[in-house]
Coordinates of all heavy atoms in Angstrom, one line a residue:
V140 N 29.0 85.3 142.2 CA 28.1 85.0 143.3 C 27.3 86.3 143.7 O 27.7 87.4 143.5 CB 28.9 84.6 144.6 CG1 29.8 83.4 144.2 CG2 29.8 85.7 145.1
E141 N 26.1 86.0 144.2 CA 25.3 87.1 144.7 C 24.8 86.6 146.1 O 24.2 85.5 146.2 CB 24.0 87.3 143.8 CG 24.3 87.4 142.3 CD 25.1 88.7 141.9 OE1 25.3 89.6 142.7 OE2 25.5 88.7 140.7
Y142 N 24.9 87.5 147.1 CA 24.4 87.2 148.5 C 23.3 88.2 148.7 O 23.5 89.4 148.9 CB 25.6 87.4 149.4 CG 25.4 86.8 150.8 CD1 26.5 86.4 151.6 CD2 24.2 86.6 151.4 CE1 26.4 85.9 152.8 CE2 24.1 86.1 152.7 CZ 25.2 85.7 153.4 OH 25.1 85.2 154.7
I143 N 22.1 87.7 148.6 CA 20.9 88.6 148.5 C 20.1 88.6 149.8 O 19.7 87.5 150.3 CB 20.0 88.1 147.3 CG1 20.9 88.2 146.0 CG2 18.8 88.9 147.2 CD1 20.2 88.2 144.7
G144 N 19.8 89.8 150.2 CA 18.9 89.9 151.4 C 19.7 89.9 152.7 O 19.2 89.4 153.7
T145 N 20.8 90.6 152.7 CA 21.6 90.7 153.9 C 22.2 92.1 154.1 O 22.9 92.6 153.1 CB 22.7 89.6 154.0 OG1 23.5 89.9 155.2 CG2 23.6 89.6 152.8
Q146 N 22.1 92.6 155.3 CA 22.6 93.9 155.6 C 24.0 93.9 156.2 O 24.6 94.9 156.3 CB 21.6 94.5 156.6 CG 21.7 96.0 156.8 CD 20.5 96.6 156.3 OE1 19.4 96.3 156.7 NE2 20.7 97.6 155.4
S147 N 24.4 92.7 156.6 CA 25.6 92.5 157.4 C 26.8 92.8 156.6 O 27.0 92.2 155.5 CB 25.6 91.1 158.0 OG 26.9 90.9 158.5
P148 N 27.7 93.6 157.2 CA 29.0 93.8 156.6 C 29.8 92.5 156.5 O 30.8 92.3 155.7 CB 29.8 94.8 157.5 CG 29.0 94.7 158.8 CD 27.6 94.3 158.5
F149 N 29.4 91.5 157.3 CA 30.1 90.2 157.2 C 29.9 89.6 155.9 O 30.8 88.9 155.3 CB 29.5 89.3 158.3 CG 30.0 87.9 158.3 CD1 31.3 87.7 158.7 CD2 29.3 86.8 157.7 CE1 31.9 86.4 158.7 CE2 29.9 85.6 157.6 CZ 31.2 85.3 158.1
A150 N 28.7 89.8 155.2 CA 28.4 89.3 153.9 C 29.4 89.9 152.9 O 29.9 89.2 152.0 CB 27.0 89.5 153.5
D151 N 29.6 91.2 153.0 CA 30.6 91.8 152.1 C 31.9 91.1 152.1 O 32.6 90.8 151.1 CB 30.8 93.3 152.4 CG 29.4 94.0 152.4 OD1 28.5 93.6 153.1 OD2 29.3 95.1 151.7
A152 N 32.4 90.9 153.4 CA 33.7 90.3 153.6 C 33.6 88.8 153.1 O 34.6 88.4 152.4 CB 34.0 90.3 155.1
E153 N 32.5 88.1 153.3 CA 32.5 86.7 152.9 C 32.6 86.6 151.4 O 33.3 85.7 150.9 CB 31.2 86.0 153.5 CG 31.4 84.5 153.3 CD 30.0 83.8 153.5 OE1 29.3 83.6 152.5 OE2 29.8 83.3 154.6
V154 N 31.8 87.4 150.7 CA 31.9 87.2 149.2 C 33.3 87.6 148.7 O 33.8 86.9 147.8 CB 30.8 88.1 148.4 CG1 29.4 87.7 148.8 CG2 31.0 89.6 148.6
I155 N 33.9 88.5 149.3 CA 35.3 88.9 148.9 C 36.3 87.7 149.2 O 37.1 87.4 148.4 CB 35.8 90.2 149.6 CG1 35.0 91.4 149.1 CG2 37.3 90.4 149.3 CD1 35.3 92.7 149.9
I156 N 36.1 87.2 150.4 CA 37.0 86.0 150.8 C 36.8 84.8 149.8 O 37.7 84.2 149.4 CB 36.8 85.6 152.2 CG1 37.2 86.8 153.2 CG2 37.6 84.4 152.6 CD1 36.7 86.7 154.6
C157 N 35.5 84.6 149.5 CA 35.2 83.5 148.6 C 35.9 83.7 147.2 O 36.5 82.8 146.6 CB 33.7 83.3 148.4 SG 33.2 82.1 147.2
G158 N 35.8 84.9 146.7 CA 36.5 85.3 145.5 C 38.0 85.1 145.6 O 38.6 84.5 144.7
Y159 N 38.5 85.5 146.7 CA 40.0 85.3 146.9 C 40.4 83.9 146.9 O 41.4 83.5 146.3 CB 40.3 86.0 148.3 CG 41.7 85.7 148.7 CD1 42.8 86.4 148.1 CD2 42.0 84.8 149.7 CE1 44.1 86.2 148.5 CE2 43.3 84.5 150.1 CZ 44.4 85.2 149.5 OH 45.7 85.0 149.9
R160 N 39.6 83.0 147.5 CA 39.9 81.6 147.5 C 39.9 81.0 146.1 O 40.7 80.1 145.8 CB 38.9 80.8 148.4 CG 38.9 81.1 149.9 CD 40.2 80.6 150.5 NE 40.2 81.1 151.9 CZ 41.3 81.6 152.5 NH1 42.5 81.6 151.8 NH2 41.3 82.1 153.7
I161 N 39.0 81.5 145.3 CA 38.9 80.9 143.9 C 40.2 81.3 143.2 O 40.8 80.5 142.5 CB 37.7 81.5 143.2 CG1 36.4 80.9 143.8 CG2 37.7 81.2 141.7 CD1 35.1 81.5 143.4
L162 N 40.6 82.6 143.3 CA 41.9 83.0 142.7 C 43.0 82.2 143.2 O 43.9 81.7 142.4 CB 42.1 84.5 142.9 CG 41.0 85.4 142.3 CD1 41.4 86.9 142.7 CD2 40.9 85.3 140.8
Q163 N 43.0 81.9 144.5 CA 44.1 81.2 145.1 C 44.1 79.7 144.5 O 45.2 79.2 144.2 CB 43.8 81.1 146.6 CG 45.0 81.0 147.5 CD 44.6 81.1 148.9 OE1 43.5 80.6 149.3 NE2 45.5 81.5 149.8
Q164 N 42.9 79.1 144.4 CA 42.9 77.8 143.9 C 43.4 77.7 142.4 O 43.9 76.7 142.0 CB 41.4 77.3 143.9 CG 40.9 76.9 145.3 CD 41.6 75.8 145.9 OE1 41.8 74.8 145.3 NE2 42.0 76.0 147.1
L165 N 43.2 78.8 141.7 CA 43.7 78.9 140.3 C 45.1 79.3 140.2 O 45.7 79.5 139.1 CB 42.8 79.8 139.5 CG 41.3 79.4 139.3 CD1 40.5 80.6 138.8 CD2 41.2 78.2 138.4
N166 N 45.8 79.5 141.3 CA 47.2 80.0 141.4 C 47.3 81.4 140.7 O 48.3 81.7 140.0 CB 48.1 79.0 140.7 CG 48.3 77.8 141.6 OD1 48.8 77.9 142.7 ND2 47.9 76.7 141.0
I167 N 46.3 82.2 141.0 CA 46.4 83.6 140.4 C 46.6 84.5 141.6 O 46.0 84.5 142.6 CB 45.0 84.0 139.8 CG1 44.7 83.1 138.6 CG2 45.0 85.4 139.4 CD1 43.4 83.3 138.0
S168 N 47.7 85.4 141.4 CA 47.9 86.4 142.4 C 47.4 87.7 141.9 O 47.7 88.1 140.7 CB 49.3 86.5 142.9 OG 50.1 86.9 141.8
A169 N 46.5 88.4 142.6 CA 46.0 89.7 142.2 C 45.8 90.6 143.4 O 45.7 90.1 144.6 CB 44.6 89.4 141.6
T170 N 45.9 91.9 143.2 CA 45.8 92.8 144.3 C 44.3 93.1 144.6 O 43.6 93.4 143.7 CB 46.5 94.1 144.0 OG1 47.9 93.8 143.7 CG2 46.5 95.1 145.2
L171 N 43.9 93.0 145.8 CA 42.5 93.4 146.2 C 42.5 94.9 146.5 O 43.2 95.4 147.4 CB 42.1 92.6 147.4 CG 40.8 93.0 148.1 CD1 39.6 92.9 147.1 CD2 40.5 92.1 149.3

Side-chain angles (χ1 to χ4, degrees):
V140 303
E141 315 289 355
Y142 196 153
I143 299 196
T145 172
Q146 196 110 54
S147 166
F149 178 75
D151 304 52
E153 195 195 85
V154 298
I155 293 172
I156 295 164
C157 175
Y159 172 75
R160 294 287 170 225
I161 291 170
L162 298 178
Q163 211 177 28
Q164 289 295 312
L165 293 167
N166 288 298
I167 295 173
S168 66
T170 304
L171 169 60

